[in-house]
Amino acid sequence: MMNDRTKIEILREEITIPQIVQQKADSAYAMLREQNHKAGKTRMKKTLPLVAVAVMLAAGAFAAAGTKWNAGISGKWQVEEPQKESLQEEGAVSFAMQSQTMNGVTITAEQSVTDNYSVYLGFRVEGYAWKEGLSPGFDELQVHVDDVDDVNYSAGFFDGMVTGEDGSIFYWISMTQSQRGWAIGREIQVEFKNLCGYETETGEADPESMTEGIWDFSWNLQGTDQMREWTVEIPLGDSGAVVRRVELSPASGYVEYDWPRQREIRQAVGPDGEITEISRWARAPRMCGVRLKDGTVYPSLFSGDGSEGYLSSEQESIGYYACRGCERLIAPEQVASLLFENTDEGGFYEVVLGDE
């Protein structure tokens, strides 16, 4: 006789079900198993028929697919409506929808977008009345991704994003790491402490505007590993750099070059404010933007979080990488070429990408 788990698996095979429905199927199975365990065999007949479960799962999936996106993510990363549907179908989006209220301020963890290298998080803040001339901010923010050390992130309130009569404002967090797939499927924990108003010019906190509290959230970073990848051998003009590999995902880009090591002298500010000179390895021409197949150019697409440097500490090695988050979400299959800054002559080096 088939058990409930077997029935769910057969349902998956007979019907093409999006990833989000499969996740709900797992949740439904766990719920049914728990209910059956508590009720005992004599109450098994009260379990919903499989057809009813399938209908509920499908309805839940379509509801999730239509869930309203966080306005901060939509605005900051300029996500268009067709992209939202596509990213949800790919499994790049998690709708956390967790709310906590402290001293009249409610924070809701609304959603995340995760690809191979970048994670974008969106939160809604309601009930905070800030003073004119002050900018809202948190006294402390902690972000942790399971089994990942030293996560670097950027965060802030999305400028101008005040909507509705409740005065909701939207907070974003972005993270980019150079290890492919570093966040996909992992649990993320975010903790906010004390919401306060800060002087715009000095950055000083205004104690009278502080709402004390700790808001903490945890959910799974559902993500997509879909990307476009190119293996090339294209010199960047006479800069000395040769592009070898390109990866483009919806929220990030990764590139590897050959870049012969060379030292350069730069000015820096010392601990006492004095100007000093330092010697460092020169950086390769910066990956900065893309040209789409329809001719649209985004010259500053890769201005988000990220890192770059040599792939090896060996002095003879010339392998160099750059990994950057996007300033807007893209469809990699629509990219015709990759742009790199030409600081010597101005403008860009352009690497044309084929249809690999």
Side-chain angles (χ1 to χ4, degrees), residues 105-121:
V105 172
T106 299
I107 299 179
T108 302
E110 292 196 325
Q111 75 174 108
S112 57
V113 178
T114 306
D115 73 1
N116 283 295
Y117 297 103
S118 292
V119 178
Y120 299 152
L121 311 177

Side-chain angles (χ1 to χ4, degrees), residues 1-11 13-14 29 36 44 50:
M1 181 176 179
M2 292 186 299
N3 58 27
D4 291 324
R5 184 65 175 183
T6 304
K7 292 177 182 178
I8 292 295
E9 294 300 334
I10 289 177
L11 175 64
E13 292 176 1
E14 293 177 347
Y29 166 70
N36 292 340
M44 286 288 287
L50 183 59

Side-chain angles (χ1 to χ4, degrees), residues 154-294:
S154 299
F157 282 95
F158 180 56
D159 293 340
M161 208 62 199
V162 180
T163 61
E165 297 179 357
D166 60 357
S168 300
I169 52 179
F170 299 90
Y171 195 83
W172 58 267
I173 299 174
S174 67
M175 301 172 283
T176 298
Q177 302 275 78
S178 60
Q179 181 180 353
R180 184 194 293 176
W182 68 275
I184 295 176
R186 297 186 185 275
E187 293 293 312
I188 186 169
Q189 298 85 41
V190 180
E191 180 180 287
F192 301 96
K193 182 177 180 180
N194 301 341
L195 181 55
C196 185
Y198 292 82
E199 295 286 349
T200 304
E201 295 183 0
T202 65
E204 294 291 328
D206 175 29
E208 295 182 359
S209 68
M210 180 175 291
T211 297
E212 295 186 344
I214 294 177
W215 300 261
D216 60 295
F217 306 93
S218 177
W219 73 96
N220 184 271
L221 292 173
Q222 178 180 318
T224 178
D225 60 1
Q226 295 191 27
M227 66 175 184
R228 294 294 305 280
E229 184 175 4
W230 295 263
T231 300
V232 297
E233 186 177 351
I234 302 178
L236 297 182
D238 57 1
S239 67
V242 178
V243 177
R244 297 290 184 181
R245 189 159 68 88
V246 176
E247 294 179 21
L248 295 179
S249 300
S252 61
Y254 178 92
V255 63
E256 290 183 0
Y257 328 55
D258 286 345
W259 176 240
R261 293 175 184 256
Q262 50 192 302
R263 307 294 294 188
E264 65 178 4
I265 303 299
R266 290 277 182 155
Q267 289 188 336
V269 179
D272 297 323
E274 74 279 12
I275 303 297
T276 62
E277 290 187 342
I278 60 173
S279 174
R280 70 174 192 183
W281 294 118
R283 294 178 178 175
R286 190 174 70 87
M287 174 180 64
C288 58
V290 297
R291 185 188 304 276
L292 302 184
K293 293 178 179 178
D294 66 4

Side-chain angles (χ1 to χ4, degrees), residues 48 57 76 184 227 252 350:
L48 287 173
L57 291 174
K76 178 173 174 55
I184 295 176
M227 66 175 184
S252 61
E350 186 164 353

Side-chain angles (χ1 to χ4, degrees), residues 60-73:
F62 291 127
T67 300
K68 185 176 180 180
W69 275 51
N70 174 268
I73 287 184

